Amino acid sequence: MDAMDIEEEEMSRQVQVRFVTKLKAPLKAPNTTIAIPSNLTRMGLSTLVNTLLQSSASEEDAADWKHEAFDFLIQGELVRMALGQFLLAKGITAEKVLEIEYIKAVIPRKEEEPSLHDDWVSAVDGSNPGFILTGCYDGLGRVWKSAGTCTHILEGHNDAITSVSIVNPKGVESSNDMHVATASKDKTIKLWKFDAEDTLDHPMNIRSFRTLRGHNASVQTIAGQASGDMLCSGSWDCRIKLWQTKASESGGDSVSIKKRKTGGENEESQSEGEAVSTFVGHTQCVSSVVWPEYDTIYSASWDHSIRRWDVEAGKDTLNIFCGKVINSIDVGGEGSALIAAGGSDPILRIWDPRKPGTLAPVFQFSSHSSWISTCKWHDKSWFHLLSASYDGKLMLWDLRTAWPLAVIDSHEDKVLCADWWKGDCVVSGGVDSKLRVSSEISVQ
């Protein structure tokens, strides 16, 4: 019997299965064994589970039942082909009852109305559940309470904004006085503060309270330290700089107070800050920085390298050569230790620096068709992350399968930035000058 005959036989037979889940009622199926055709795909399995749930629900719930999309795991791996093909490919015998776990599918169930900007949306931060922060090529930062509702406009840069960061995302519970940072092609970083609870009929224009100068070229990327006390930046001058975001009582970061005149009137006094430290090592544009731990910064560059820096020593302790220009990195996943990166090809790569003896990626995902602009781990999951690309698409990934869980095709041109928001939304911006919010995404 040849391989094709074996596959046909595998696909035509029945399999004894039991569906299990960590979901609560009414999404918990009866704990019974049933025989199902082995040629069922994920969609067929989802329809079957919905039928089981509806038949076991109360009369009232059954009458109002809404179809729920599910994904399926066998031995910890997501099923992305017909059941029989999956079992054959993985060498799993179906002689005994097969246990199949089902979870809510990681797909957006709603697309909010787009939030319009006057130019390309180049940066977004969704780390605070109370608002979305965006940066735009018109030189303005914007704070959005929800899709379509802009509460504050950050005005002061002389060129396009390239990166934005909420400096104190951890302090939401204790204060509504938010501090955020924006970086620009005008070679500066600006710090801003506003009341996140302001209820306004029209957006409020606010000025920065501090300007950080020191880079000799466009500032491409910024990231806040978890405590909110410091900020790091990367630039086209190949340097990484560290900055204080709080005024130093000792004046250790050389603060000078200036008053500027516009139209004959004095603006509010603003302070200027200088970098407290500079890291040298990259030989081309530093395109992305993240600061996941108090004493560790990661950076990526157009010089094809990813580096891990010891903050106190100012030295790199890891240097991964990728062979491609890198646009974006993020650190997360299992143990908050996996490095995800995207750049000048369609491949999303993931490294595990804990594995000794090799600097090869442990995962590579290749469903995009153009450069990857952004990648971002979900902060509550070991498995899930998103990517955005110049192909105009966002993709949601799970390390347990090589295929994307969902493709979000809401933009009309290149996607330049993306982030998770509130745990169940993806926010993104691009060349179509729109902030998009894809919501009701169930990540478990």
Side-chain angles (χ1 to χ4, degrees), residues 66-297:
K66 290 183 179 177
H67 184 93
E68 180 68 58
F70 294 109
D71 270 318
F72 298 88
L73 291 154
I74 297 176
Q75 296 184 1
E77 189 163 345
L78 279 160
V79 177
R80 275 294 184 274
M81 57 185 75
L83 181 58
Q85 286 179 328
F86 180 88
L87 298 178
L88 193 62
K90 301 300 175 183
I92 299 172
T93 178
E95 297 302 321
K96 297 180 181 178
V97 175
L98 185 66
E99 196 168 85
I100 303 178
E101 181 183 359
Y102 64 94
I103 58 177
K104 281 189 175 182
V106 180
I107 55 173
R109 290 160 175 83
K110 186 179 179 184
E111 281 291 335
E112 309 290 346
E113 284 298 310
S115 304
L116 300 179
H117 293 63
D118 293 330
D119 209 330
W120 295 5
V121 182
S122 48
V124 65
D125 187 330
S127 60
N128 187 300
F131 61 90
I132 306 163
L133 176 65
T134 61
C136 183
Y137 262 54
D138 62 6
L140 301 176
R142 291 173 175 83
V143 178
W144 303 84
K145 195 80 171 175
S146 58
T149 306
C150 179
T151 57
H152 299 82
I153 296 176
L154 317 182
E155 186 177 7
H157 282 294
N158 298 320
D159 207 335
I161 291 177
T162 52
S163 184
V164 297
S165 178
I166 298 171
V167 179
N168 57 350
K170 303 287 185 182
V172 179
E173 292 84 359
S174 59
S175 174
N176 294 322
D177 186 25
M178 297 305 304
H179 289 63
V180 303
T182 55
S184 171
K185 290 187 175 185
D186 67 10
K187 306 179 188 177
T188 71
I189 301 157
K190 290 183 180 289
L191 303 178
W192 320 73
K193 55 187 174 184
F194 59 90
D195 186 345
E197 292 302 307
D198 279 339
T199 52
L200 306 165
D201 294 330
H202 301 285
M204 177 188 293
N205 283 46
I206 58 176
R207 307 292 291 181
S208 65
F209 71 87
R210 197 165 190 195
T211 300
L212 307 178
R213 301 180 190 272
H215 282 295
N216 298 320
S218 169
V219 185
Q220 188 68 13
T221 175
I222 52 176
Q225 187 185 34
S227 68
D229 292 340
M230 295 191 74
L231 186 78
C232 66
S233 59
S235 166
W236 276 89
D237 64 12
C238 311
R239 303 289 190 264
I240 297 167
K241 291 183 180 289
L242 273 56
W243 316 81
Q244 286 283 351
T245 58
K246 290 184 178 178
S248 170
E249 292 179 8
S250 63
D253 63 342
S254 305
V255 175
S256 62
I257 304 298
K258 292 192 174 183
K259 283 205 171 190
R260 304 182 184 277
K261 286 191 174 181
T262 53
E265 295 182 6
N266 283 333
E267 283 186 7
E268 179 183 344
S269 294
Q270 294 185 353
S271 65
E272 294 201 354
E274 295 179 355
V276 298
S277 185
T278 300
F279 297 168
V280 179
H282 285 297
T283 58
Q284 292 195 46
C285 168
V286 180
S287 52
S288 184
V289 290
V290 290
W291 199 336
E293 300 168 27
Y294 180 80
D295 56 355
T296 306
I297 289 170

Side-chain angles (χ1 to χ4, degrees), residues 9 17 73 109 119 182 205 281 300 364 385 415 419 424:
E9 182 183 335
V17 304
L73 291 154
R109 290 160 175 83
D119 209 330
T182 55
N205 283 46
Q364 296 190 84
L385 70 162
V415 186
D419 199 1
D424 68 347

